[in-house]
């Protein structure tokens, strides 16, 4: 059978769009030659999606569960139509097509690293083991991975929740490493440095040869947390939305600035805190394209601005390796995951 | 007097923000040591701003003029509060502070390349020479440039309207040249190739050593225009919002993709049309940061995505040089400016 590496053959309506843009996907369990079928263990709903469902139904667990079921049955995927977001899943590989390039074998316990918004999904058990009170949804059923999907084996040496938290942000250390390693001993500032993606980015920057790392955090409790983790050469406090305060805190402009703080309005500060010829990597989904583009122009700032791509080859392994080998990263993740 | 290269000393309210974010600037004609005062000739309102004013006042010229005057008087800058946009201005340099780094001298006729949204502005003549019927506003008064502003001398050999049209998009060829020159003989696809920024990007790509250039346009009339200009090795037709159609038209993925088409929804197509390890430069202000970031992740695409910075050193001169030396660019600009 002909199949598309990005799953076009699974799109039921409207025809011709990519799976993420589709209203409805076909979760038929029969796989094509380059597909993989996964037996579901658990869905991890995206935080924004769960919050919306919780609010819309006044926290009523039965109503939340009913709507999640209804979305999956109607759309063939867990794609919240209001937030546009999905989440990830954990499962066990059930069947692997002979031409699948993903390197999976039956029995592997994996997490998918592409969004549920483009993953064909079928649920069999009415989600009856889920109490509707959190983002973790135990489920029976199956999901389909395409040739260009991404999945990572869950490491046996780490709790699944911790691995998932790392994989969720593993694009940040991968791209930070690449950008820092392309320069000679740059000064690297990470904004939102005591968070999950920020701590990984700091560790990746140091490993990639940063001459000095600066961790920017919004208040003293975060500064104490970051100092205790020992991941930054300097820890400074500033509101990243205030360009003048940020520049004052960072001091001499950085060669590479990594924005990991998920609040709007950090573009101008990041631009001013970066040296001419420097690079800014925006990982925050709250980044405004036009604020960055027009801000750099208005400030006559000759800076390279990257959209943080969540994918790079080997990104999950690199991030898990940082968690295993950098006690400061492990410390921050354990605190964050338990919160 | 102490002054700030980005004009913080001109912000009246709220204190501590950058001039672009300010509600009100101080257009006092007395300049600081690193400032420049420009005698106004003409404002060029941003197209989105003029369209909004025109719609809000049902095209009534007197009402449009009155609102522009009121905005300038209230804010000390021509910063449309609804669209958030400004425009550019043409004027003659009046006085240059002894520490200004802009290289201007009194009597030079210049265009400002930073937005009117951050330029202190005072109008003296009630705009009485403007009929309110277009974006070009003859005006008397003055404007202030900061140390980090950008201005370019209007070339004597070109009509002012043509120079302005080139300067308005001059960031695109500058960044395209830089990205293409950093690779060895890449294949370059330009989406929206028959427009102003697109034609300049094509010419810059060829000059920077592209092995082959592909110009993507939405329909046959544009294709004919681009073929007549001779700027692309291949001219193909596709709706850039349709990823599958775009990939089919481009064929083998490009090493560098430049997005110059100002419609939303072109991110996924650009990602799929770009080879692994390739670079995408987004110049369209309609680009969605999250669609690009999540799209690349969902497609497991190892591509570098750049936010098109409107500034690079020497960008105006490079673009004007392309206009003067590439007959195809001059042809497209003359057609576009006259439209």
């Amino acid at each position: 059978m002909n199949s598309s590496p990005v799953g076009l053959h699974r799109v039921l309506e409207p025809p011709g769009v990519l799976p993420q843009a589709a209203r409805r996907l076909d979760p038929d369990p029969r796989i094509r030659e380059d597909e993989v079928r996964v037996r579901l263990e658990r869905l991890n709903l995206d935080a924004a999606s769960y919050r919306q469902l919780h609010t819309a139904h006044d926290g009523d667990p039965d109503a939340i569960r009913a709507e999640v079921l209804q979305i999956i049955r109607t759309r063939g995927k867990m794609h919240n139509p209001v937030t546009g977001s999905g989440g990830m899943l954990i499962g066990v590989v059930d069947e692997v097509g002979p031409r699948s390039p993903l390197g999976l074998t039956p029995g592997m316990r994996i997490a998918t690293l592409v969004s549920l918004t483009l993953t064909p999904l079928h649920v069999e058990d009415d989600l009856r083991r889920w109490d509707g009170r959190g983002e973790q949804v135990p489920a029976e059923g199956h999901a389909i991975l395409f040739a260009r999907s991404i999945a990572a084996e869950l490491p046996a040496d780490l709790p699944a929740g911790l691995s998932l938290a790392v994989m969720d942000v593993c694009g940040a250390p991968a791209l930070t490493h690449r950008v820092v390693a392309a320069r000679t001993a740059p000064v690297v500032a990470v904004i939102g440095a005591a968070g999950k993606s920020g701590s990984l980015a700091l560790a990746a920057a140091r490993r990639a040869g940063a001459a000095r790392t600066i961790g920017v955090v919004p208040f003293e409790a975060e500064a104490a947390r970051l100092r205790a983790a020992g991941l930054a050469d300097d820890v400074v406090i500033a509101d990243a939305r205030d360009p003048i305060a940020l520049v004052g805190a960072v001091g001499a402009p950085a060669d590479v600035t990594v924005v990991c703080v998920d609040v709007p309005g950090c573009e101008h500060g990041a631009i001013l805190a970066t040296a001419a010829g420097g690079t800014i990597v925006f990982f925050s989904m709250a980044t405004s394209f036009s604020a960055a583009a027009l801000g750099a122009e208005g400030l006559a700032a000759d800076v390279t601005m990257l959209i943080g791509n969540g994918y790079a080859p080997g990104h999950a392994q690199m991030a898990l390796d940082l968690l295993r080998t950098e006690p400061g990263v492990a410390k921050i993740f354990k605190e964050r995951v338990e919160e």
Side-chain angles (χ1 to χ4, degrees), chain A:
Chain A
M1 281 190 288
N2 265 335
S3 69
S4 144
V6 297
L8 293 175
H9 55 283
R10 293 277 183 174
V11 172
L12 293 177
E13 55 180 287
V17 304
L18 292 170
Q20 191 159 37
R23 281 193 299 277
R24 195 156 67 93
L25 298 180
D26 177 4
D28 188 328
R30 293 169 298 177
I31 60 172
R32 305 275 178 122
E33 288 199 328
D34 62 356
E35 291 182 333
V36 170
R37 189 179 60 250
V38 178
R39 184 157 44 78
L40 274 185
E41 265 187 28
R42 195 207 306 176
L43 305 175
N44 289 266
L45 302 186
D46 166 76
S49 176
Y50 181 74
R51 197 160 46 232
Q52 185 274 328
L53 292 162
H54 189 273
T55 304
H57 296 291
D58 289 329
D60 174 5
D62 290 334
I64 295 172
R65 187 169 47 223
E67 182 166 355
V68 169
L69 262 180
Q70 194 259 339
I71 290 172
I72 296 172
R73 285 184 180 152
T74 311
R75 307 200 69 172
K77 57 178 177 174
M78 182 50 216
H79 186 171
N80 184 321
V82 177
T83 62
S85 59
M88 307 158 71
L89 66 84
I90 290 178
V92 175
V93 175
D94 205 11
E95 186 184 358
V96 178
R99 292 175 180 238
S100 167
L102 300 183
L104 303 177
T105 51
M108 269 188 183
R109 190 161 178 245
I110 62 159
T112 60
L113 302 186
V114 292
S115 173
L116 289 178
T117 59
L118 53 89
T119 304
L121 183 68
H122 176 75
V123 163
E124 287 160 6
D125 70 341
D126 294 343
L127 304 178
R128 61 178 171 269
R129 288 184 293 140
W130 182 39
D131 64 7
R133 294 183 196 278
E135 298 157 17
Q136 308 286 324
V137 184
E140 285 169 30
H142 69 265
I144 305 293
L145 305 183
F146 312 129
R148 270 183 83 160
S149 298
I150 328 168
E153 188 169 16
L154 284 169
D157 62 326
L158 295 172
L162 195 58
S163 296
L164 271 186
V166 171
M167 291 173 179
D168 192 33
V169 294
C170 63
L175 185 51
T176 300
H177 191 282
R178 190 183 280 189
V179 168
V180 172
R183 293 174 174 260
T184 307
V187 172
V188 180
V190 176
I191 302 173
K196 289 184 277 190
S197 58
S199 63
L200 281 168
L202 273 175
R206 196 174 264 180
R207 196 163 284 195
R212 190 162 69 90
T213 56
I214 305 165
V216 183
V217 294
F219 44 78
E220 177 52 35
E222 294 278 279
R225 187 193 290 251
L226 186 55
R227 280 191 293 263
L231 292 170
D233 298 318
D234 293 297
V235 176
V236 301
I237 298 177
D239 182 339
R241 294 165 298 187
D242 180 342
I244 311 309
L246 185 67
V247 168
V250 170
D255 302 303
V256 175
T257 301
V258 183
V259 181
C260 291
V261 58
D262 245 335
V263 295
C266 301
E267 300 85 1
H268 289 188
I271 291 164
L272 275 181
T274 306
T279 295
I280 305 168
V281 193
F282 289 103
F283 280 108
S284 163
M285 280 302 152
T287 303
S288 157
F289 182 90
S290 57
L294 297 175
E297 183 179 329
L299 295 164
D302 180 21
V303 290
T304 298
M305 297 185 288
L306 295 178
I307 297 174
N309 183 344
Y311 174 72
H315 60 342
Q317 285 315 312
M318 175 193 278
L320 289 167
D321 180 53
L322 287 170
L323 181 85
R324 290 193 185 98
T325 56
E326 296 282 349
V329 171
K331 185 168 153 53
I332 282 183
F333 266 77
K334 278 173 190 151
E335 290 165 6
R336 295 283 181 192
V337 170
E338 281 162 13
E339 271 170 3

